[in-house]
Structure formats: C-alpha cells, structure tokens
Amino acid sequence: MTLGEGRTPLVPLTESVSAKLDFLMPTLSFKDRGAVMLAAHALRLARAGGLDRVVADSSGNAGTAVAAYGARAGLDSLVYVPEGTSPKKLEQIRAHGARVVEVPGDREATARAAREAADAPGTFYASHVYNPYFLHGTKTYVYELWEELGGRLPDTIVVPVGNGTLLLGAALALDELRRQGLTDTRPALVAVQAEAVSPLAAAFHAGADDITAPAPARPTLAEGIAVPAPPRARQILRAVRETGGTFLTVTDDQIRTAQRDLAKRGLFVEATGVACWAAVSAAPPRPGLTVVPLCGAGAKTGLVS
C-alpha cells in the first residue's frame, strides 16, 4: 500500500529555523501522509465487499494524493475540485487514473458536491477533513520531528491552516507523545493563513471559540489554505490556544517574496507551501528552534508572478 511516504529531510534555513521538506513526498505534497491511511482503510472495506469507488474533494493536493494511493490500491477514484484549480494539479490527478469533476464556485461548493456524490451506495468518502484516519497519517509529521531531533521536539511548530488537517494531526501527536512519556515539552503551534481568507486568524485574535460566519472567498495565491468556513474551526482554535501558540497571516506579496527566497536556497515550493516561511520571516523571532513545513512542490503551480 505504501509508496514510501514520510521520512522527509529536515534542513536548516537559519540558525533558529529549520524546514521539513514534505514536498519530496511521492505525489509532491504532505497530503500523502493522510492519503495512505484513507486508501488502506478503503481497500479493507472493498475486500469485505460493497465498496466500488472512492470520492474525494480537494483544491488539488489532497485529490492528487487520494488518486495516487487509490491507484496503488486498485480502486476507482472520483475527485471533485473547484473551478480554477491549477491545470498542473488536474493533470497529475488524471495521470493517476482518477476522474475529475470541476465544480463551479469555491472550495465549500466543491465539498458539498462531493458529499452528495458520496451518498451513493458503494462509495467511500475519502475526506481529508472529516475522516479521522487522515489525521492519524498527518500526525506522523511530528513523530518524525521527534525522531530527527534525537527524541526531542522543536520549541515552535508552524503549520499552514485551511481545513487544519496538518495542525490537528500535529496536536494529536503531541498529546500521544506526552501520554507515552516520550516528551515532557509541548511546542507552541503557530497557524498560518492567507490574509485574503483568514477566518480562523480573525476568530483567534477576537478571542472567539469558533468562527461566527464564513470569510469572503477572496482570490489568493495560497489557494490550498483559502477555506472560508473550516468545519473543525473550534478544534483548531482550541489546539492553538492550548499550546500557547498564535495565528499569523501572509499577503500575496509576502508569498511571492518567500517563494523566490526559497528558490535561491535551492528549494522550489508551491505558493501555499511557502506560506509558513513567509510568515516566520516577517514575524519577530520566537525563542528556540522553529520548524516550518514546505508542503508542496513548485512544479505543481510554477513560479507565481
């Protein structure tokens, strides 16, 4: 079932900031961590009978990962994406044999269409948002950090947040490591959103426990985290607060600058994937070691202009 996902390098960017190169995953994004879990579970259900196809919704990377691991498992996959999704991501999804349905409207409209399709008999909804198996894949990000740092954790873990699957997986791993007695520290979780679509950041800084209304769906280069109404908003806000973390936002200009800066360092990362480096570069330094993920390869979207 595996495609060799995980074990991505951790490399220093500065004396106090290191980057986890998750764009080196098999489908070139961190979503492989969760997709392998969804596909393995779907395959078990298929072998038990009654499952004919897998349905997913995505702005690109999760759909690609589900398509690839679905192909690996021998399952038919149907991926719903918003109109305007990167042509390179659509090409990658189709290359794995999945059928693509482009949905007029935003990311929320796409999710609704996929959930309706998933109601059909014999369908497995491979949701990276709702399915708990996905988080048990993304949590391996933090377990790898613990191993790579010799049985300790960084002081700050910065993650991009749209639907929050990497952040929630990280929070799950931090809780498990403490319960298992493998660490007595709790890194601060710092969440990064695009300034154009930042409902969670607004709620956090207003002191709210949840978002009160969807954010306007404004265009942004960070399309992968442009989620106007994250379904797990309450859990995400609680996880950040419990670790003493915070929310940061980045502009498209900061994303452009960060992408070029990383490219000059030898790392070509897609626009959404550079958001954390853009945020950390602009914010006052935090004490100790900070780790940022570089979540998707630049080949998926090209150099932004």
Side-chain angles (χ1 to χ4, degrees):
M1 190 63 253
T2 181
L3 288 169
E5 61 289 331
R7 300 288 183 179
T8 54
L10 182 67
V11 301
L13 296 179
T14 69
E15 288 186 2
S16 60
V17 180
S18 291
K20 190 108 163 83
L21 309 190
D22 264 18
F23 68 90
L24 298 179
M25 290 281 195
T27 76
L28 310 182
S29 93
F30 87 94
K31 295 291 176 63
D32 291 357
R33 294 183 183 275
V36 64
M37 298 292 287
L38 293 180
H41 184 51
L43 182 58
R44 285 195 295 270
L45 296 176
R47 286 172 173 168
L51 192 155
D52 301 317
R53 65 173 182 168
V54 170
V55 168
D57 56 274
S58 167
S59 59
N61 285 339
T64 299
V66 168
Y69 284 88
R72 179 75 166 175
L75 301 170
D76 290 331
S77 299
L78 182 62
V79 180
Y80 286 72
V81 300
E83 60 182 354
T85 295
S86 165
K88 292 181 180 180
K89 291 182 179 179
L90 296 181
E91 181 180 10
Q92 192 180 9
I93 293 170
R94 292 188 175 108
H96 293 304
R99 291 168 289 158
V100 174
V101 178
E102 294 189 60
V103 179
D106 60 13
R107 184 69 183 78
E108 300 303 316
T110 304
R112 287 194 297 271
R115 288 196 295 270
E116 290 176 5
D119 284 338
T123 302
F124 176 77
Y125 185 27
S127 171
H128 63 290
V129 179
Y130 295 105
N131 195 307
Y133 280 87
F134 197 87
L135 300 185
H136 284 281
T138 58
K139 75 180 182 184
T140 60
Y141 176 85
V142 169
Y143 275 97
E144 287 181 25
L145 290 179
W146 182 84
E147 291 175 345
E148 289 161 330
L149 295 172
R152 66 182 183 91
L153 291 168
D155 300 278
T156 304
I157 297 175
V158 185
V159 291
V161 173
N163 280 305
T165 55
L166 182 53
L167 185 139
L168 292 174
L172 180 62
L174 294 179
D175 287 340
E176 290 179 353
L177 285 167
R178 285 173 65 87
R179 287 200 307 271
Q180 293 161 5
L182 296 174
T183 183
D184 56 3
T185 61
R186 191 175 183 88
L189 290 174
V190 174
V192 177
Q193 293 209 285
E195 185 178 89
V197 185
S198 52
L200 292 164
F204 180 88
H205 292 298
D209 294 330
D210 203 346
I211 59 173
T212 56
R218 300 187 182 98
T220 175
L221 294 174
E223 60 181 7
I225 53 174
V227 180
R232 295 191 171 189
R234 183 177 290 272
Q235 292 172 266
I236 294 166
L237 291 165
R238 183 172 63 248
V240 172
R241 288 196 174 102
E242 286 178 348
T243 64
T246 190
F247 273 81
L248 303 174
T249 61
V250 291
T251 66
D252 279 4
D253 283 343
Q254 288 174 310
I255 287 171
R256 291 185 184 94
T257 299
Q259 189 187 43
R260 284 166 171 76
D261 176 64
L262 286 172
K264 290 178 180 177
R265 298 167 185 261
L267 303 168
F268 188 30
V269 184
E270 69 169 324
T272 299
V274 307
C276 290
W277 175 237
V280 167
S281 300
R286 297 177 69 93
L289 175 63
T290 293
V291 173
V292 300
L294 303 182
C295 294
K300 287 174 171 283
T301 57
L303 191 66
V304 297
S305 57

